[in-house]
Amino acid sequence: MIRAAVLPAVGSPLEITGIELPEPGPGQVRVRLAAAGVCHSDLSLSNGTMRVPVPAVLGHEGAGTVVSVGEGVTHVAPGDGVVLNWAPSCGSCHPCSLGEVWLCVNALAGAANVHARTEDGTELHPGLNVGAFAEETVVAADCVLPLPDGIPLTDAALLGCAVLTGWGAVHHSARVREGETVAVFGVGGVGLATLQAARIAGASTIVAVDVSPEKEALARAAGATEYVVASETTAKEIRKLTGGQGVDVAVECVGRAVTIRTAWESTRRGGRTTVVGIGGKDQQVTFHALELFHWGRTLAGCVYGNSNPAVDLPVLAEHIRAGRFDLGSLVTERITLDGIPGAFDNMLAGKGGRALVIFP
């Protein structure tokens, strides 16, 4: 038996309890977790904003060490450090055939599988494929990526979601060019990664926006040159900081209608607005036809940073080894499994960056 954070039903509190994992079958890998990040998507799964089969072991951002492998697994071996990939591409669906692996229609097929059982025999599913809120997990082989050399195993957990998402939002979705101006809405784990990515891309002015004044130091350490506390005048403040034009690129990391609309209004004529945050169906954003024509802005969604983890991880690893990207600075709290509910509360309150579950 191992300990895990289980969501018994949508809207129910997480239960830290013992579960029984099977040994890895053909094409599977068993991983002992070193760390797992607490992402806003986990909160969205628990409250029903995103739907997955339940009861489930939550957690999708993690890294650890291979314990054992099933038949046919050759790209990793026991003792190897690995990063979990919660959205593996099938390679055969239409988006995959176009090279858009982040849109793979089969990426979350594994979430319907029986992953483990509780002590009383209740079947559990793996939240977003990997069930990382547990001391160990068993996943499909394509859900593990070899850990790049020189990357600390615990910090590497952040590569599994926050960093790939923020990096990709800047370099793949918005395609920020050197000298451009950028605004990042939401200074959580993904927002902090986005700020670092914008700095690495060579953005000139980088404006961080958040409801919390206390996050200014975090934002500036990540690369923000300006900090704006969110209000009804945020768009005006950003235009003032950019010569009256608005930023070339706005990246929304919150998933709220009002924030998406403000990000749009903060973007210059002809600029790009990228939405990373995951909002509920009740978050309706409206535009009128004339403004769409007049402003000529691009509004785009962004899934997993529009990233290909197998390609992007080595690139990120080089920036990390060179000291250009600081993984540890995203983490504002290191907790145990029992601290996850409190981390959810902090996210709802807009406090801190990334909480990282550290396993003994």
Side-chain angles (χ1 to χ4, degrees):
M1 301 293 291
I2 61 167
R3 296 181 77 233
V6 173
L7 178 68
V10 171
S12 298
L14 287 182
E15 297 177 357
I16 312 303
T17 186
I19 67 169
E20 184 176 356
L21 280 174
E23 289 303 311
Q28 291 185 321
V29 179
R30 184 167 183 142
V31 177
R32 181 181 300 278
L33 271 296
V38 183
C39 178
H40 204 281
S41 296
D42 298 309
L43 181 60
S44 295
L45 293 172
S46 70
N47 64 25
T49 299
M50 297 170 62
R51 292 284 183 173
V52 294
V54 291
V57 179
L58 294 189
H60 63 281
E61 180 184 85
T65 303
V66 175
V67 175
S68 56
V69 301
E71 181 183 351
V73 177
T74 58
H75 72 296
V76 294
D80 288 351
V82 293
V83 177
L84 298 181
N85 175 18
W86 63 270
S89 57
C90 71
S92 59
C93 68
H94 184 61
C96 285
S97 72
L98 298 174
E100 298 172 351
V101 297
W102 55 91
L103 298 179
C104 176
V105 299
N106 299 308
L108 294 180
N113 295 339
V114 175
H115 172 67
R117 287 177 169 80
T118 62
E119 292 180 271
D120 65 6
T122 301
E123 294 182 343
L124 301 172
H125 301 282
L128 294 186
N129 283 327
V130 297
F133 287 166
E135 293 169 333
E136 294 187 11
T137 187
V138 174
V139 298
D142 55 6
C143 286
V144 294
L145 298 165
L147 177 70
D149 292 338
I151 309 301
L153 187 58
T154 53
D155 290 348
L158 303 168
L159 292 169
C161 184
V163 174
L164 276 173
T165 299
W167 174 265
V170 168
H171 291 272
H172 300 318
S173 179
R175 298 181 184 273
V176 174
R177 299 181 290 267
E178 186 173 0
E180 288 192 312
T181 55
V182 176
V184 178
F185 289 76
V187 184
V190 173
L192 289 169
T194 304
L195 288 168
Q196 291 203 52
R199 173 177 48 76
I200 291 170
S204 53
T205 299
I206 304 175
V207 185
V209 183
D210 198 275
V211 296
S212 172
E214 289 76 23
K215 291 188 180 182
E216 181 172 358
L218 275 175
R220 289 190 181 275
T225 61
E226 310 289 342
Y227 192 82
V228 173
V229 178
S231 70
E232 293 181 355
T233 63
T234 293
K236 290 182 179 179
E237 291 181 62
I238 291 175
R239 286 196 293 272
K240 185 177 180 180
L241 291 168
T242 53
Q245 299 300 311
V247 290
D248 297 302
V249 171
V251 181
E252 199 274 357
C253 304
V254 181
R256 295 183 64 233
V258 64
T259 317
I260 294 169
R261 179 72 208 194
T262 304
W264 163 268
E265 293 174 355
S266 302
T267 308
R268 69 166 174 84
R269 194 175 187 189
R272 290 101 69 200
T273 305
T274 291
V275 179
V276 174
I278 300 172
K281 293 179 180 179
D282 62 324
Q283 297 295 311
Q284 298 291 317
V285 188
T286 60
F287 308 91
H288 60 72
L290 182 60
E291 69 176 316
L292 293 173
F293 160 77
H294 173 76
W295 290 104
R297 297 164 174 145
T298 300
L299 178 67
C302 179
V303 179
Y304 204 5
N306 293 10
S307 295
N308 181 340
V311 173
D312 289 316
L313 275 186
V315 175
L316 277 162
E318 182 57 36
H319 287 295
I320 294 165
R321 287 191 292 263
R324 291 184 291 269
F325 198 107
D326 182 2
L327 287 175
S329 66
L330 274 64
V331 180
T332 53
E333 187 180 17
R334 295 176 186 266
I335 60 176
T336 65
L337 275 174
D338 300 281
I340 295 175
F344 280 2
D345 291 339
N346 285 339
M347 278 192 287
L348 286 170
K351 296 179 180 179
R354 204 43 139 217
L356 194 64
V357 180
I358 305 297
F359 294 92

